Amino acid sequence: MDYLTNPTSRKDLRRLAPYLRKLFDVASTGAFPVLMVLEKLSDVFKNCNYEIVEDSKLPAKTMARCFQNDDGGFTIEIKESVYVGAYEKGIGAYLGFIAHEICHIFLFKIGFKPIYERSFDNNKLPAYCSVEWQAKALCAEVMIPFDESKGMKHKEILDRYHVSKAFADARLKLERL
């Protein structure tokens, strides 16, 4: 499911990434401490929180999700297996799923709200005005600072930033553009 929002570019999202890091008092370089940021979520964004839920509560292909709560903020639900994999094993993909949901909240708070209630199937909207694409792109920029990672090899990106292979692949692809 996806929603239409205000258009933006990858370069603009890259410029926003340091602000998200700064909001959570995270260094502008190095690995993004996803779980530490998750713990600070309610301190930075009023009425926003997270819950670890049984895996069966969310659809099979949904690792985490973010929704507006009754307090006027957002709640992130994270599958227990995802949280445990991120916390105990540092699995890059699981850290990325959680960071992606944090990026949704940040983008919403700075004005990238759905333009109207109608949802679309994934890949039906142009990327630049897709809520899902914007959160994914911002997440990648936050987790792998672009300028710092220039010229790095795949393994270096994996080791330094604790991201998934897919995120590292996508980052290297951007360097070739």
Side-chain angles (χ1 to χ4, degrees), residues 21 42 115 160:
R21 281 175 166 260
S42 63
I115 292 175
R160 177 152 175 111

Side-chain angles (χ1 to χ4, degrees), residues 41-49 69 71-74 105 109:
L41 188 66
S42 63
D43 296 333
V44 173
F45 296 120
K46 185 179 177 184
N47 298 321
C48 292
N49 56 53
N69 61 37
D71 297 327
F74 291 88
I105 295 172
K109 294 287 189 179

Side-chain angles (χ1 to χ4, degrees), residues 48-96:
C48 292
N49 56 53
Y50 72 95
E51 297 175 0
I52 310 306
V53 300
E54 291 184 25
D55 286 13
S56 62
K57 184 171 182 190
L58 297 177
K61 292 186 178 184
T62 302
M63 303 301 134
R65 70 176 178 178
C66 178
F67 60 89
Q68 287 189 293
N69 61 37
D70 294 336
D71 297 327
F74 291 88
T75 298
I76 297 173
E77 288 183 331
I78 305 164
K79 281 186 175 177
E80 183 178 12
S81 63
V82 171
Y83 185 80
V84 168
Y87 183 76
E88 292 181 2
K89 298 177 183 172
I91 296 172
Y94 291 173
L95 293 166

Side-chain angles (χ1 to χ4, degrees), residues 36-168:
M36 184 193 82
V37 167
L38 186 64
E39 290 297 322
K40 291 181 169 183
L41 188 66
S42 63
D43 296 333
V44 173
F45 296 120
K46 185 179 177 184
N47 298 321
C48 292
N49 56 53
Y50 72 95
E51 297 175 0
I52 310 306
V53 300
E54 291 184 25
D55 286 13
S56 62
K57 184 171 182 190
L58 297 177
K61 292 186 178 184
T62 302
M63 303 301 134
R65 70 176 178 178
C66 178
F67 60 89
Q68 287 189 293
N69 61 37
D70 294 336
D71 297 327
F74 291 88
T75 298
I76 297 173
E77 288 183 331
I78 305 164
K79 281 186 175 177
E80 183 178 12
S81 63
V82 171
Y83 185 80
V84 168
Y87 183 76
E88 292 181 2
K89 298 177 183 172
I91 296 172
Y94 291 173
L95 293 166
F97 294 138
I98 296 167
H100 174 91
E101 301 306 327
I102 294 167
C103 288
H104 273 302
I105 295 172
F106 174 77
L107 287 166
F108 185 91
K109 294 287 189 179
I110 65 169
F112 290 91
K113 301 174 183 178
I115 292 175
Y116 49 84
E117 296 292 320
R118 181 174 171 223
S119 67
F120 297 84
D121 292 333
N122 288 336
N123 301 321
K124 297 280 184 183
L125 293 171
Y128 62 89
C129 59
S130 157
V131 167
E132 285 304 318
W133 177 83
Q134 289 177 2
K136 185 176 182 179
L138 177 61
C139 180
E141 297 295 335
V142 167
M143 292 187 75
I144 309 171
F146 188 79
D147 289 336
E148 179 186 1
S149 61
K150 280 183 182 172
M152 284 185 166
K153 304 283 186 227
H154 194 268
K155 183 164 177 18
E156 291 174 295
I157 291 171
L158 291 173
D159 291 345
R160 177 152 175 111
Y161 301 110
H162 313 291
V163 296
S164 68
K165 290 179 182 178
F167 259 33

